[in-house]
Amino acid sequence: MNASRARMIWSVVTWTIVLAVVFPLIWMIVTSVKPQSELFSIPPTLMPETITFEHYRRLLTDTPFLQYFRNSMILAVTTTVVVVVLGTLGAYSLVRFKYRGRETLATLVLFTYLMPSVVLVIPLYLMMAKLGLANTLASLVIAYTTFALPYALWLLRSFMSSIPVDLESAALVDGAGRMGAFVDVVLPQALPGIVSTALFTFILCWNEYLFALVLVNSDSVRPLTAGTMNMLITSFNIDWSLLMAASVMMSLPLIVIFTFLQGTLTKGFGAGAVKG
Amino acid sequence: MAEVVFEKVRKTFGSTVAVNDLDLTIDEGEFVSLLGPSGCGKTTTLRMLAGLEEPSGGTIRIGDRVVNSVPPAKRDIAMVFQSYALYPHMTVGKNIAYPLKKRGIREPERSERVMATARLLELETLLDRKPAQLSGGQQQRVALGRAMVREPQVFLLDEPLSNLDARLRAHMRAELIELHRRIGRTMIYVTHDQLEAMTMSTRIAVMNAGVLQQFATPADIFHRPANVFVAGFIGSPAMSLVEGELVGSGGGDGERRFRVHCGALDVALPAGLLNRSAAPGPISLGIRPEDILLGSGHHTAAVGVVERTGHESIVRLDAQGTPLIVRTPGDTPIESGETVRFSLRVERLHIFDSTTGLRLNADTKDS
Amino acid sequence: MHSDPPPSLEKRYARIGVVLIAPTVLVFCAVILYPLISAIYLSLFSIYTPTLAGEWVGVDNYTALLASGDFWNAALNTLIWTVGTLMLQLVFGVAMALLLNQSIVFQSLARSLVLFPYFLSTVVAVLVWRWLFNDLYGILNHVLLIAGLIDAPVNWLGQMPNAMISIILVGAWKYFPFVVIVVLARLQSIPEQLYEAATIDGAGPFQRFTDITLPQLRDVLVVVVLLRAIWDFKEFDLIYLMTGGGPVRATQTLSLLVYEEAFRLNRMGMASTYAVAMMLVLLGFTLVYLRQTNRLEEG
């Protein structure tokens, strides 16, 4: 079997599966632009006969969707900034410094991202209540930081340990202090990794559900995930068109990030996953 | 005074002793090579001097300052790394300017000095390129430039030529010698390549397993190696070493006379060859390849492999079970499988005590 | 007059290192120490969630747990769910990675697209699949009916064993890309020369797979299996949103049980007891993972 025939066969097989995997998402988009009448036709139509953006319009004007979107944005961006700053410094410390308890800390990092969120949510709920932060975005930022930070550290550690130590040594000899070497040499080199981690953290926060469900109970503070599910529960009839439109809009940041930065995003996984 | 002094310096990593009680005084303006096989402690020593490792014991002085706890930035040294360690995200110009920036030197002086250094190393046209766009030789020069631009008291070089191909290495060796001559500062050079050490240094510190073996001029190291290790390490092809025995041979004239029985060789040593503490006992006999003369003499041997390089030939001999290596001019008529006669330049023999490894010849200098 | 010798370089650097990691350590105290101690502490109480009023019950919660049918039911469901979805994730993940490692048209596009389910919000995934699974209007039933595989619409989420199968499938769909990413990265790092040498030695494609590819994948697969096992075990969002644990606790896993106890039955103490039980199991997994990764690093 020559090379181009093999390539064709592999392509057909692979793409069939890829399309099957992606189909639910395509169906989501298709459903969101179908008029209601067509939605409930039996048999269901594969391609929409008419395209309407009515559901999107309704979503943005008749529901708190925009508010949810804004909340999610603020939440995800704030948490990402906090996590990336703490994580970058922490990862650098773990990788380039020697002090007592460093190894124990590294193992503890491991333990944290294995904690079930359902176990964390109870004490966090109590803590927020006691601190008077119940039902605020701040409580979510704190909560999200606690579970996003271990992942960020995991990713950042593997990026940083791949930067040659000689570069920092050279900077030290050239006249920089440890932190000067960090800023001048390590940060620029780690930048792609830091961007990857930031994107990953953003997605993690954007998609989170349980903490948003438990720690917040008013629309003004609710992020998209809990908000959209709330729309589902509170309505009498399940408005699938609306929900599909909401799903598409909720996935927009993901699609944007993915289109432009897919390579950077997954690089850390491959490398970091095995080292753990 | 940019004298560099190591006083009883030790470095341990866990239970491994990397550098063991090093005593070394390097004078200002010298070019000293730290030479030895991998793992001998030479790089560790250099890094302790740079401040990238901290000594476990002892003192290191630069000038009259004890620098054990002084951060690298404040030691007034510069270093060229084996990997060059050029900052990948900065241009060549910025790389060279970096040390000046850290010292607070502003424009326009900074650019002037960068330009001056670049001109010296023929890098002017490359200033806007990034390190990844340069060849190995160019990268090496940038690393040198970055070290030179600060005009430090001491230059440290960690095997800077090992990543270059043979021809470029030869060229850079000459360049470095010229550079040292021109700027006259102290240079400390780590290498495992004896040719580099021998051709470039004012003095060589030979190290093995963390211990200083000998610190002397290249000539002394070559002609008067302090112990068996140095003798076997220096010289290419290596010195032939044969185990054997030193016996006294009576001489009625009041002079002590000795013979050696080493393998198939039974040689009378010239009077005065050995020092006063020499006594009969087990020894190693060392013969440099150029001190064996082929063609005549009362020793014989079978000829093994002959490597002809054109201007000379390297011949392996088997003298009744004793292997020897000989260096002989290229036009010597000799073939594998023949039997050949040879003689030894007895005044050039080296005798080493088997137990201590120390050289017993009378002209051995104290390190 | 001698002044004290300056603090050694190593000590000064160590201090900087500690300062850099301090904020993270603070966060970790909040994440590990506090919940751990809290959960254990709370499990010894009976607490009414809305008012947080509680009273000491000692180990009563634990004895209730062991006697509780709900607990063992949830434990069994968690086992079935974890094993089921993990196996599918593994099989599909490895197969997909192998395919994507071949030369195919639009290779990088295919690689990107296949990752979407993993990075999608669970809420979105659940909404989409619930719509797909809809018994009357869902496209899945429609396609199966047309293909003749079923002759009446199937109730995917409200009936057993369908509900468990459904969530296992959706779990596999959502998480298999993680396996793909890790395995693909490993496959790409296998030097081409190994295959070339084997071909010269006369090995055919299947042999090359078993003799070169599989051994190289072994280490990575062990890590992936352990990680996914841990993460699937503690999954909450997906199952809660798909079936809520129904029909009637048939898909209620331990995570869902903890949630129900704490926020529906308002028994925070009991919920903490279940939580402690979960953590013990996860601790077991984690220790195995640690031992495996250490062994891999040394070996």
Side-chain angles (χ1 to χ4, degrees):
Chain A
M1 187 193 298
N2 66 354
S4 54
R5 247 189 97 208
R7 191 174 144 97
M8 212 181 58
I9 296 185
W10 287 130
S11 299
V12 167
V13 171
T14 310
W15 272 102
T16 313
I17 303 182
V18 170
L19 286 172
V21 166
V22 176
F23 176 74
L25 303 172
I26 301 176
W27 190 238
M28 169 179 86
I29 300 176
V30 163
T31 307
S32 72
V33 293
K34 270 190 197 168
Q36 284 271 28
S37 47
E38 206 186 313
L39 195 66
F40 296 108
S41 63
I42 298 179
T45 54
L46 204 53
M47 288 306 293
E49 278 153 26
T50 34
I51 295 194
T52 171
F53 292 104
E54 172 65 19
H55 310 298
Y56 288 95
R57 192 196 59 77
R58 253 195 316 143
L59 186 70
L60 295 175
T61 53
D62 294 350
T63 66
F65 189 81
L66 275 179
Q67 195 166 38
Y68 297 151
F69 200 94
R70 184 203 67 140
N71 290 337
S72 278
M73 239 339 154
I74 298 176
L75 185 52
V77 168
T78 314
T79 311
T80 302
V81 168
V82 172
V83 165
V84 165
V85 168
L86 289 186
T88 308
L89 295 176
Y92 183 56
S93 168
L94 288 174
V95 164
R96 288 284 189 261
F97 288 83
K98 291 186 214 127
Y99 42 86
R100 243 180 320 169
R102 189 186 64 155
E103 288 310 308
T104 342
L105 272 179
T107 323
L108 279 182
V109 173
L110 201 67
F111 275 98
T112 52
Y113 63 71
L114 305 167
M115 276 257 159
S117 44
V118 102
V119 166
L120 288 179
V121 83
I122 300 172
L124 273 174
Y125 173 75
L126 294 176
M127 190 165 86
M128 293 303 149
K130 239 176 263 174
L131 290 176
L133 284 176
N135 205 32
T136 60
L137 273 181
S139 70
L140 287 179
V141 171
I142 297 174
Y144 285 14
T145 305
T146 57
F147 77 74
L149 191 52
Y151 284 105
L153 270 174
W154 180 49
L155 288 174
L156 286 167
R157 269 182 77 189
S158 76
F159 283 118
M160 292 220 180
S161 54
S162 70
I163 301 174
V165 183
D166 268 358
L167 289 181
E168 284 167 74
S169 304
L172 288 180
V173 172
D174 281 346
R178 285 305 298 255
M179 288 321 285
F182 176 69
V183 171
D184 293 335
V185 173
V186 176
L187 274 187
Q189 288 299 105
L191 204 56
I194 295 178
V195 169
S196 281
T197 307
L199 292 176
F200 181 71
T201 308
F202 181 89
I203 293 177
L204 214 59
C205 295
W206 187 264
N207 291 348
E208 202 284 331
Y209 175 68
L210 177 61
F211 285 113
L213 177 69
V214 170
L215 296 178
V216 152
N217 54 23
S218 71
D219 273 353
S220 57
V221 192
R222 231 179 233 125
L224 271 176
T225 46
T228 314
M229 288 314 292
N230 205 40
M231 290 198 305
L232 173 67
I233 298 171
T234 54
S235 56
F236 194 59
N237 282 315
I238 300 181
D239 194 336
W240 286 111
S241 315
L242 202 64
L243 285 173
M244 288 299 109
S247 298
V248 170
M249 293 222 59
M250 243 168 79
S251 310
L252 275 182
L254 174 71
I255 297 175
V256 166
I257 291 177
F258 232 67
T259 321
F260 294 112
L261 297 147
Q262 182 261 330
T264 9
L265 194 63
T266 53
K267 219 168 278 183
F269 264 103
V274 187
K275 283 182 214 152
Chain B
M1 269 306 289
E3 176 186 69
V4 174
V5 180
F6 289 84
E7 222 174 284
K8 292 231 166 325
V9 172
R10 269 177 73 85
K11 180 65 181 173
T12 48
F13 293 106
S15 53
T16 328
V17 181
V19 176
N20 202 345
D21 276 358
L22 179 68
D23 284 305
L24 194 61
T25 303
I26 298 171
D27 300 327
E28 183 175 10
E30 280 205 83
F31 190 121
V32 168
S33 287
L34 302 179
L35 174 68
S38 304
C40 70
K42 55 194 195 290
T43 301
T44 310
T45 305
L46 196 77
R47 288 174 66 89
M48 283 196 284
L49 184 55
L52 299 171
E53 300 280 358
E54 202 163 2
S56 312
T59 356
I60 302 180
R61 270 200 279 273
I62 300 180
D64 45 15
R65 214 165 46 128
V66 172
V67 295
N68 285 41
S69 299
V70 175
K74 301 210 167 77
R75 294 191 186 198
D76 200 14
I77 50 159
M79 186 155 167
V80 178
F81 291 81
Q82 190 174 9
S83 63
Y84 314 136
L86 299 180
Y87 308 125
H89 54 284
M90 297 187 201
T91 59
V92 167
K94 289 230 164 66
N95 259 279
I96 300 181
Y98 184 74
L100 297 178
K101 204 158 161 237
K102 289 286 125 185
R103 292 269 181 282
I105 296 180
R106 302 188 205 207
E107 301 293 354
E109 187 190 344
R110 198 162 74 211
S111 303
E112 283 167 13
R113 285 172 72 165
V114 170
M115 208 37 173
T117 308
R119 250 180 244 130
L120 203 65
L121 294 165
E122 289 172 33
L123 293 169
E124 315 94 298
T125 52
L126 302 173
L127 287 175
D128 288 324
R129 301 234 194 122
K130 291 258 177 76
Q133 299 168 290
L134 303 177
S135 72
Q138 291 169 330
Q139 286 181 358
Q140 216 255 356
R141 277 183 283 148
V142 176
L144 264 175
R146 193 174 65 185
M148 282 166 57
V149 79
R150 264 207 349 254
E151 299 175 10
Q153 285 190 35
V154 186
F155 279 91
L156 307 178
L157 301 109
D158 187 3
E159 308 208 46
L161 306 185
S162 61
N163 291 337
L164 302 175
D165 66 62
R167 181 177 264 173
L168 202 49
R169 227 182 299 161
H171 173 77
M172 286 309 298
R173 265 198 335 254
E175 295 271 328
L176 281 174
I177 297 174
E178 172 62 23
L179 192 68
H180 178 241
R181 194 191 59 81
R182 195 150 23 150
I183 61 179
R185 314 256 169 151
T186 314
M187 282 192 174
I188 302 180
Y189 190 94
V190 161
T191 182
H192 61 271
D193 182 330
Q194 42 161 313
L195 186 60
E196 280 174 20
M198 294 288 284
T199 54
M200 296 164 76
S201 325
T202 55
R203 277 198 288 177
I204 304 178
V206 181
M207 293 178 73
N208 187 33
V211 179
L212 180 66
Q213 305 290 314
Q214 184 173 7
F215 184 41
T217 62
D220 279 341
I221 294 226
F222 186 82
H223 294 294
R224 289 167 279 276
N227 61 31
V228 139
F229 175 79
V230 177
F233 192 77
I234 304 288
S236 184
M239 181 189 281
S240 302
L241 286 165
V242 192
E243 299 298 312
E245 235 203 311
L246 182 70
V247 292
S249 73
D253 51 358
E255 288 255 9
R256 294 186 318 152
R257 287 186 176 276
F258 293 97
R259 288 188 81 84
V260 286
H261 299 307
C262 294
L265 301 171
D266 180 12
V267 187
L269 299 179
L273 185 70
L274 300 183
N275 63 30
R276 247 167 294 206
S277 62
I283 52 113
S284 301
L285 172 68
I287 316 168
R288 289 240 183 252
E290 46 275 4
D291 295 335
I292 302 178
L293 303 169
L294 297 177
S296 60
H298 46 250
H299 304 281
T300 60
V303 178
V305 174
V306 177
E307 296 171 76
R308 297 176 208 275
T309 65
H311 77 278
E312 69 178 9
S313 299
I314 304 208
V315 182
R316 276 160 223 274
L317 298 180
D318 180 352
Q320 295 88 48
T322 307
L324 297 170
I325 302 185
V326 188
R327 191 186 242 153
T328 185
D331 50 6
T332 313
I334 188 153
E335 293 295 330
S336 265
E338 289 178 350
T339 311
V340 74
R341 307 184 75 89
F342 68 93
S343 61
L344 305 171
R345 306 242 297 250
V346 291
E347 72 281 7
R348 303 270 202 108
L349 293 177
H350 302 266
I351 311 290
F352 302 94
D353 182 312
S354 277
T355 337
T356 62
L358 293 174
R359 187 160 172 274
L360 298 175
N361 295 51
D363 60 358
T364 307
K365 292 207 176 120
D366 292 326
S367 319
Chain C
M1 174 78 170
H2 287 295
S3 51
D4 288 321
S8 79
L9 264 182
E10 275 170 14
K11 283 217 186 82
R12 264 185 288 174
Y13 288 165
R15 243 181 271 163
I16 301 179
V18 168
V19 166
L20 288 177
I21 195 107
T24 307
V25 172
L26 248 92
V27 171
F28 281 174
C29 284
V31 174
I32 317 173
L33 244 44
Y34 178 56
L36 202 58
I37 301 173
S38 272
I40 301 177
Y41 180 72
L42 290 176
S43 68
L44 302 171
F45 284 73
S46 166
I47 300 177
Y48 183 61
T49 311
T51 60
L52 299 179
E55 57 175 32
W56 173 270
V57 292
V59 291
D60 286 0
N61 283 344
Y62 285 92
T63 39
L65 174 147
L66 291 171
S68 146
D70 289 346
F71 173 74
W72 296 110
N73 173 56
L76 181 64
N77 288 338
T78 313
L79 187 66
I80 298 175
W81 146 260
T82 306
V83 172
T85 195
L86 180 61
M87 285 201 311
L88 287 182
Q89 287 165 16
L90 213 60
V91 168
F92 284 136
V94 174
M96 203 64 210
L98 289 170
L99 281 175
L100 289 173
N101 198 34
Q102 304 296 322
S103 160
I104 53 180
V105 299
F106 298 122
Q107 189 188 50
S108 46
L109 183 61
R111 286 183 184 171
S112 310
L113 285 179
V114 108
L115 299 179
F116 258 103
Y118 189 71
F119 291 103
L120 209 63
S121 158
T122 310
V123 168
V124 169
V126 163
L127 286 175
V128 169
W129 277 95
R130 278 177 69 165
W131 174 233
L132 280 172
F133 277 146
N134 189 291
D135 35 11
L136 288 176
Y137 307 109
I139 188 102
L140 188 64
N141 272 344
H142 173 64
V143 165
L144 290 177
L145 272 169
I146 293 198
L149 291 168
I150 52 177
D151 38 36
V154 175
N155 182 352
W156 293 100
L157 298 172
Q159 239 185 316
M160 281 299 280
N162 306 351
M164 181 58 87
I165 295 177
S166 302
I167 56 171
I168 286 180
L169 277 175
V170 177
W173 176 85
K174 181 131 196 349
Y175 295 119
F176 91 102
F178 178 79
V179 181
V180 174
I181 296 176
V182 177
V183 172
L184 188 58
R186 191 68 180 89
L187 284 176
Q188 292 179 313
S189 74
I190 302 178
E192 191 59 34
Q193 291 165 334
L194 282 180
Y195 292 109
E196 286 168 5
T199 314
I200 294 177
D201 285 343
F206 184 67
Q207 247 183 313
R208 292 202 293 270
F209 178 72
T210 46
D211 290 343
I212 299 178
T213 316
L214 275 189
Q216 295 271 346
L217 285 184
R218 218 181 48 93
D219 316 350
V220 162
L221 282 180
V222 167
V223 172
V224 161
V225 165
L226 282 171
L227 280 180
R228 281 263 39 108
I230 291 169
W231 287 331
D232 290 336
F233 182 85
K234 60 179 186 132
E235 179 65 37
F236 173 83
D237 297 1
L238 187 80
I239 307 178
Y240 179 74
L241 292 171
M242 281 291 277
T243 60
V248 196
R249 296 182 190 278
T251 54
Q252 188 182 54
T253 56
L254 287 169
S255 297
L256 270 72
L257 187 58
V258 172
Y259 181 78
E260 185 191 45
E261 281 290 327
F263 297 107
R264 289 249 195 77
L265 299 177
N266 292 324
R267 297 207 296 241
M268 204 149 254
M270 196 62 207
S272 301
T273 314
Y274 288 134
V276 171
M278 267 190 88
M279 284 200 284
L280 284 174
V281 175
L282 280 175
L283 186 67
F285 271 121
T286 315
L287 291 176
V288 175
Y289 172 76
L290 276 176
R291 199 142 45 98
Q292 273 305 315
T293 38
N294 283 337
R295 196 179 299 160
L296 288 177
E297 264 168 31
E298 288 156 21

